[in-house]
């Protein structure tokens, strides 16, 4: 009549009994019974996943509060301004990006963190509280004083009221969250090269492959390092840049409008993954030649993270100058990372590479947050564009949140961009 699902108590009990029997068996296969939030969290038979069941108190609260919040296309729940506590816009803009990271939001709102630290010193507990504040429905700006205190405590180089770099704060925050997650049940499951399966590593960690090729015997030495972000050089920096890619006729490349003379995010990624001659001053000892030889180095993506963070290196610090690079870089709402994968390089070398047209390509990303910096290196201000729904963007300027358009987002200069698979 009401089209609701009916759960049979006897069937539920039988299912639980059968699962208990399965846990005792040897061997490995995946269980789809009550799957966790992330696909990579599906446990093998010997690892029990505790299903959530409401307590008597929670059932009582549900009965007394029959009205439910519904997410509609015009819903603003999750949008909340942050008070600037004195040059803390660098923190506020990253917090806005993190609280709108879909899988991170799902993790914290489903009570997945089990803390083994003192809660008043755990940054993960504070982030969990922050998500509760953001999605509580309150409209008044939140004052993140506890978060700021914890950042000062665990990342002392960011302490004080001086202006700080948003990208530096992002990496520091991910590092502290990663360290504080390692103590909980999720962090102890070592399924990746870092011996950590915490939510931060599951979402943000990728694998960067470095291939060093000897110029004499063409032997290749390969290393794979984890990364949380990809830092990209820009034209106008002291680092040599490659000629702009073709497309001056206004063609579109990887979803980017390639205007005459404009640099695109794809251009920056091409430069990042192109072979680089290391020169005679940086010879390596080749295992094939058994002597020091000149070589080339090429970076490619061995494993892509679920959320890719691109950092445009707009702040240049050298012995001679300190300045901000204002080169405009266009970027797409959808990005295909297939051309920059290690597997694509191998296929090209074997003459097998074809551009992927698969609509279910796992290497495709959707933009959901852009951090911008206005001003100079010495004095400036950070703001964030975040995506609430597929086509709804908002600009977060500390305590003020205003609606934005796709054009507003794509026309912004961008310093840090977060994209979700």
């Amino acid at each position: 009549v009401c089209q609701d699902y009916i759960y049979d108590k006897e069937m539920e009990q039988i299912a639980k009994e059968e699962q208990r029997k399965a846990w005792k068996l040897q061997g490995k296969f995946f269980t789809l019974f009550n799957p966790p939030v992330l696909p990579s969290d599906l446990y093998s038979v010997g690892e029990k996943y505790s299903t959530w069941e409401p307590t008597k108190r929670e059932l009582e609260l549900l009965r007394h509060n029959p009205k439910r919040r519904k997410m509609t296309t015009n819903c603003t729940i999750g949008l909340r301004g942050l008070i600037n506590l004195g040059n803390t816009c660098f923190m506020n803009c990253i917090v806005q990006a993190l609280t709108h990271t879909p899988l991170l939001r799902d993790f914290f709102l489903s009570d997945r963190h089990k803390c083994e630290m003192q809660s008043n010193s755990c940054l993960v507990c504070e982030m969990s509280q922050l998500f509760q504040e953001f999605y509580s429905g309150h409209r008044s700006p939140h004052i993140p004083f506890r978060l700021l205190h914890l950042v000062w405590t665990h990342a002392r180089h960011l302490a004080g009221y001086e202006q700080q770099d948003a990208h530096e704060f992002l990496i520091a925050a991910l590092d502290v969250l990663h360290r504080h997650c390692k103590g909980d049940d999720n962090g102890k499951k070592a399924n990746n090269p870092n011996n950590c399966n915490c939510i931060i590593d599951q979402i943000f960690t990728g694998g960067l492959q470095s291939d060093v090729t000897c110029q004499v015997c063409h032997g290749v030495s390969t290393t794979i390092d984890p990364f949380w972000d990809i830092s990209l050089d820009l034209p106008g920096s002291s680092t040599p840049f490659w000629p702009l890619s073709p497309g001056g006729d206004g063609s579109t490349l990887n979803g980017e409008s390639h205007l005459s003379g404009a640099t695109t995010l794809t251009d920056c990624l091409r430069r990042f993954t192109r072979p680089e001659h290391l020169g005679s001053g940086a010879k390596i000892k080749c295992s094939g030649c058994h002597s020091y030889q000149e070589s080339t180095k090429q970076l490619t993506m061995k494993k892509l993270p679920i959320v890719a963070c691109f950092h445009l290196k707009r702040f240049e610090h050298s012995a001679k100058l300190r300045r901000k690079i204002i080169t405009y870089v266009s970027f797409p709402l959808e990005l295909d990372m297939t051309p920059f994968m290690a597997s694509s390089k191998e296929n090209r070398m074997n003459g097998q590479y074809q551009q992927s047209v698969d609509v279910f390509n796992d290497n495709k990303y959707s933009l959901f947050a852009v951090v911008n910096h206005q001003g100079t290196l010495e004095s400036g201000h950070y703001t964030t564009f975040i995506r609430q729904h597929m086509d709804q963007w908002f600009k977060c300027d500390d305590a003020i949140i205003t609606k934005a358009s796709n054009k507003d987002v794509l026309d912004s200069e961008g310093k840090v961009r977060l994209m979700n698979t």
Side-chain angles (χ1 to χ4, degrees):
V1 176
C2 66
Q3 300 299 308
D4 195 5
Y5 291 98
I6 297 173
Y7 296 92
D8 186 274
K9 288 184 179 180
E10 186 178 358
M11 287 296 295
E12 291 287 298
Q13 189 59 38
I14 291 171
K16 287 181 182 179
E17 288 297 328
E18 291 301 318
Q19 191 174 47
R20 285 194 191 97
K21 294 176 184 176
W23 285 331
K24 296 177 182 179
L25 298 175
Q26 297 299 318
K28 291 191 176 182
F29 55 88
F30 292 123
T31 170
L32 296 177
F33 183 80
N34 286 317
V37 175
L38 298 178
S40 52
D41 277 342
L42 297 175
Y43 302 147
S44 59
V45 176
E47 300 170 309
K48 179 178 178 181
Y49 174 70
S50 301
T51 58
W52 176 83
E53 292 182 4
T55 63
K56 289 183 178 179
R57 172 63 178 156
E58 288 167 336
L59 287 171
E60 184 182 337
L61 287 170
L62 288 170
R63 279 194 295 269
H64 283 84
N65 296 276
K67 289 188 70 175
R68 302 283 183 269
R69 277 190 192 280
K70 293 182 179 180
M71 297 295 286
T72 63
T73 53
N74 296 319
C75 182
T76 58
I77 189 169
L79 293 172
R80 195 169 181 185
L82 291 167
I83 296 293
N84 192 316
L85 301 174
N87 285 329
T88 57
C89 58
F90 72 94
M91 178 182 78
N92 289 351
C93 68
I94 296 301
V95 168
Q96 291 286 1
L98 291 178
T99 51
H100 288 87
T101 301
L103 286 177
L104 205 58
R105 174 197 62 206
D106 294 348
F107 175 85
F108 281 110
L109 292 183
S110 60
D111 249 355
R112 296 293 305 283
H113 174 58
K114 296 177 178 63
C115 186
E116 293 188 5
M117 299 175 59
Q118 291 184 351
S119 59
N120 60 355
S121 64
C122 177
L123 188 62
V124 189
C125 288
E126 179 56 33
M127 280 298 294
S128 182
Q129 182 61 38
L130 203 62
F131 274 90
Q132 298 293 335
E133 292 286 349
F134 265 72
Y135 289 89
S136 65
H138 295 306
R139 293 177 176 270
S140 59
H142 178 64
I143 307 173
F145 65 92
R146 287 193 303 270
L147 177 66
L148 183 63
H149 177 260
L150 282 173
V151 170
W152 285 3
T153 303
H154 297 293
R156 295 193 176 276
H157 62 290
L158 296 174
Y161 289 103
E162 295 83 9
Q163 293 193 21
Q164 303 287 354
D165 182 74
H167 172 252
E168 189 176 356
F169 174 79
L170 171 65
I171 299 305
L174 292 179
D175 178 59
V176 177
L177 287 168
H178 159 74
R179 286 190 277 117
H180 288 188
C181 274
K182 289 181 81 170
D184 69 16
D185 291 340
N186 297 302
K188 288 175 181 173
K189 302 191 183 305
N191 293 335
N192 67 24
N194 292 328
N195 294 325
C196 180
N197 199 38
C198 73
I199 189 64
I200 300 302
D201 274 317
Q202 288 189 54
I203 295 177
F204 293 97
T205 300
L208 189 65
Q209 180 168 314
S210 173
D211 294 319
V212 178
T213 306
C214 174
Q215 293 298 284
V216 177
C217 70
H218 302 292
V220 180
S221 173
T222 299
T223 57
I224 299 172
D225 296 307
F227 69 89
W228 278 334
D229 71 321
I230 301 167
S231 291
L232 301 169
D233 289 313
L234 301 180
S237 68
S238 57
T239 307
F241 211 72
W242 83 105
L244 292 173
S245 58
D249 57 352
S251 63
T252 300
L253 185 64
N254 208 346
E256 297 162 305
S257 178
H258 211 313
L259 302 176
S260 180
T263 301
T264 69
L265 181 61
T266 304
D267 288 332
C268 297
L269 286 166
R270 275 210 193 98
R271 184 195 184 282
F272 183 78
T273 56
R274 71 174 182 177
E276 177 187 0
H277 186 69
L278 297 180
S280 57
K283 291 183 178 181
I284 61 158
K285 189 170 184 178
C286 176
S287 57
C289 300
H290 304 291
S291 61
Y292 286 91
Q293 305 289 355
E294 291 190 25
S295 58
T296 60
K297 178 181 178 180
Q298 184 174 14
L299 299 174
T300 50
M301 309 296 160
K302 179 65 176 178
K303 174 184 173 292
L304 289 172
I306 295 174
V307 171
C309 175
F310 300 102
H311 165 229
L312 300 184
K313 293 158 73 171
R314 293 200 174 276
F315 297 158
E316 186 172 36
H317 302 269
S318 64
K320 294 183 178 180
L321 76 161
R322 295 176 68 252
R323 64 186 180 121
K324 178 182 175 181
I325 300 168
I326 59 173
T327 305
Y328 174 74
V329 177
S330 69
F331 53 96
L333 290 173
E334 305 287 332
L335 177 70
D336 187 358
M337 288 290 288
T338 302
F340 314 110
M341 297 294 293
S343 56
S344 296
K345 175 191 170 185
E346 292 162 7
N347 288 340
R348 280 195 299 271
M349 291 175 66
N350 296 330
Q352 299 172 343
Y353 180 73
Q354 290 182 346
Q355 185 67 39
S356 174
V357 293
D358 184 4
V359 293
F360 300 108
N361 184 358
D362 289 339
N363 302 330
K364 286 186 176 178
Y365 285 82
S366 297
L367 187 71
F368 73 90
V370 180
V371 175
N372 287 295
H373 179 269
Q374 294 87 35
T376 64
L377 190 64
E378 290 75 22
S379 177
H381 181 61
Y382 284 103
T383 58
T384 310
F385 286 109
I386 57 97
R387 192 184 72 192
Q388 177 76 343
H389 301 293
M390 182 55 71
D391 294 315
Q392 289 200 355
W393 286 90
F394 291 87
K395 182 180 180 181
C396 304
D397 185 352
D398 287 334
I400 302 170
I401 296 181
T402 53
K403 197 155 177 40
S405 66
N406 285 353
K407 187 176 186 301
D408 295 330
V409 177
L410 297 179
D411 286 348
S412 64
E413 67 172 34
K415 187 176 190 294
V416 178
R417 300 183 184 115
L418 281 83
M419 306 189 85
N420 190 59
T421 50

